[in-house]
Amino acid sequence: MELMPERLESLKAGVIGSISLGLAFLTTGFINVWWLAKYFPILTYDKIDIVNLQVLLSGVIAGFSGFLFGVTYRYIIRVDSNPHLKTGGVWAFGLVRGLTQIEVGWNINNSVLPFLILAGESILWFALAAFALDKAILLSWLKPFSSN
């Protein structure tokens, strides 16, 4: 097995994961600011101004998380068609991020519901990234990791 082609495929998987998670972040960010914030003020950012340091930092973290997910997901699923591996990877990444949000929210204001929404959002992000990676593999834009 040659290492360089595998590394390039992992890099492509990371980029696909990063882009798809970044787009999911932007989409849910707009939904949070313009719709959910009416019902859950904790979801609003400092101002309605969507471009601020907090949002930028959150976007960078989401993109980096997507990159790590993309690389890891490629290794998790390999050439297997086991749906438990796919959903397990999504839930693992989504719950790590989501449960952290719930814990922080609970420590800040003892209200869990808004942070449950954010936790669900995290799982959705990684599910969308997994969908994008599966589609890229299906279209032969990305090769699954071969354990040979």
Side-chain angles (χ1 to χ4, degrees):
M1 173 172 65
E2 293 183 41
L3 289 179
M4 191 51 80
E6 286 299 327
R7 288 181 181 157
L8 288 174
E9 290 300 314
S10 292
L11 179 65
K12 286 193 316 191
V15 169
I16 292 168
S18 182
I19 290 170
S20 60
L21 212 75
L23 290 174
F25 166 78
L26 288 173
T27 303
T28 57
F30 285 122
I31 290 170
N32 287 346
V33 169
W34 285 313
W35 184 61
L36 287 178
K38 293 177 190 173
Y39 306 106
F40 303 106
I42 194 78
L43 295 177
T44 59
Y45 296 107
D46 292 336
K47 301 175 194 168
I48 266 304
D49 179 23
I50 203 110
V51 181
N52 62 30
L53 184 59
Q54 179 185 358
V55 175
L56 247 96
L57 183 59
S58 294
V60 168
I61 291 170
F64 185 65
S65 297
F67 183 87
L68 293 176
F69 175 76
V71 172
T72 305
Y73 187 77
R74 180 174 175 263
Y75 288 102
I76 289 171
I77 63 167
R78 299 179 184 252
V79 290
D80 251 335
S81 61
N82 184 342
H84 299 293
L85 289 174
K86 293 178 179 192
T87 57
V90 169
W91 280 97
F93 272 79
L95 284 175
V96 165
R97 185 176 192 283
L99 291 175
T100 302
Q101 290 174 309
I102 291 171
E103 181 182 21
V104 168
W106 180 258
N107 290 332
I108 289 174
N109 67 355
N110 290 339
S111 175
V112 176
L113 183 60
F115 297 96
L116 283 173
I117 292 171
L118 293 175
E121 179 182 278
S122 295
I123 294 166
L124 174 68
W125 289 358
F126 289 106
L128 291 172
F131 176 79
L133 289 161
D134 287 339
K135 195 62 143 172
I137 290 170
L138 186 67
L139 295 172
S140 298
W141 295 348
L142 180 64
K143 295 177 189 162
F145 181 72
S146 171
S147 56
N148 294 341

